[in-house]
Amino acid sequence: MSVDAIGLSADLLKAVKSCGYKNLTPIQQKSIPLIRKGGDLLASAQTGTGKTAAFSLPLIDLIAPKKASGNHHVKVLILTPTRELAQQVHDNITAYTQFMEVTAGVVYGGGAMPSQSKMLKQGVDILIATPGRLLEHTALNNVSLAGVEHVVLDEADRMLDMGFLSDINRIFDLIKHKHQTLMYSATFSNKVKTLANQILQTPKTIEVAKQNSTSGKVKQAVYIVAESRKRELLSEIIGVNNWQQVLVFAGTKESANILAKELKLDGIKAAICHGDKSQGARNKALDDFAEGKVRVLVATDVAARGLDIPDLPYVVNFHLPFLAEDYVHRIGRTGRAGKTGTAISLVSPKDEKFLANIEAFIKRKFDRIVLPGYEMTASQEAENSTKTYEKPSQNRYKTTQAKNRKIAQKNKQKNSGNRSVTKGRNKRR
């Protein structure tokens, strides 16, 4: 269905087209008519299917005619689990309202309180926020939620996983006006259903993909490898295939730091994104990755929901997530908006229990691939260490660097127009 067919206001349609939108995605086709009718909504869709536009476009059109000129009170409140997702939603809505008088603001932890306070006191029509920081501002009387007419819980399942239930309940207690509530979630977990029963009034339910499914556009593979050789295998896969933009998920902040350092020593430029990094450092890492200044972004699950890189081709699970649901969110960073993508998981013997949980969750059994040269010894197959890494020897780096130089030279000869790695550094040709 074309964006022209849904009756957006002239200025909103102009903005949407300037963003390159031509046709509606399934979640947008199903959500927009129901939101316009004013009822509550519980929607499930895979990440990357256009959920932000699905809820924001009809809400922008609903509040625009009601807004008095120069009068900005929060009419739409959008709650997100992470600062990255909050910023992404804000950027999208700012683009949608570029030809309108509707204003939008964003507040999240890690951002400067004085500038956020000033923005809130000046007033905005649409406020995007993480729950904790929003409550800080309400406690300081920087913003009132009394007049909110529409509430959106984006990535509701993730907010619950992160322990925001009490904050969500406190926020809803502050909203006195009769309001419409929209819940969007990648999965319909039991916790999501329980919350929906508490805050939604006779909601309509939308499910545009099979529950707990992964996108059919994402090619998924599992490689069996000893824990101590994961980094070596990762470097080789990136080098052999000449991958240039790879999002790698590590299990902990410490392991992310170590892995990024090791990849650099292998001659693969990498950046880091996790909760110990300042917001400025995280933004820079994301920007550098999106612009191709670094080849690999090593992240913890903090980036699983908010990261939006157009046409991101590759996702790697260096460590499998503890929760099977997070596997769906992680690999949902690729294969977005109908594009194709590749997601691989590096699995050691101690990861098998997590892989079994993922297979049960998505109802799919993976083939276990063992690349030549990475067969495990009997002792490696029996390994059950709780340590994520052993300290690698310098010889391991030298071996991988030499291997990468040979691979880069072959790629250079095959594809002289592509970016290549030479002498252990990532250069753009």
Side-chain angles (χ1 to χ4, degrees), residues 55 133 154 158 172 182-183 198 225 251 325 349 363 381:
F55 60 72
R133 178 51 61 95
D154 194 11
R158 184 63 171 172
F172 271 84
L182 314 174
M183 279 182 62
Q198 293 173 356
V225 60
E325 293 95 330
K363 298 178 175 61
E381 289 178 352

Side-chain angles (χ1 to χ4, degrees), residues 51-72:
K51 285 185 288 183
T52 301
F55 60 72
S56 61
L57 295 182
L59 293 180
I60 291 168
D61 256 351
L62 284 170
I63 68 170
K66 301 178 183 179
K67 194 180 74 63
S69 179
N71 181 19
H72 298 287

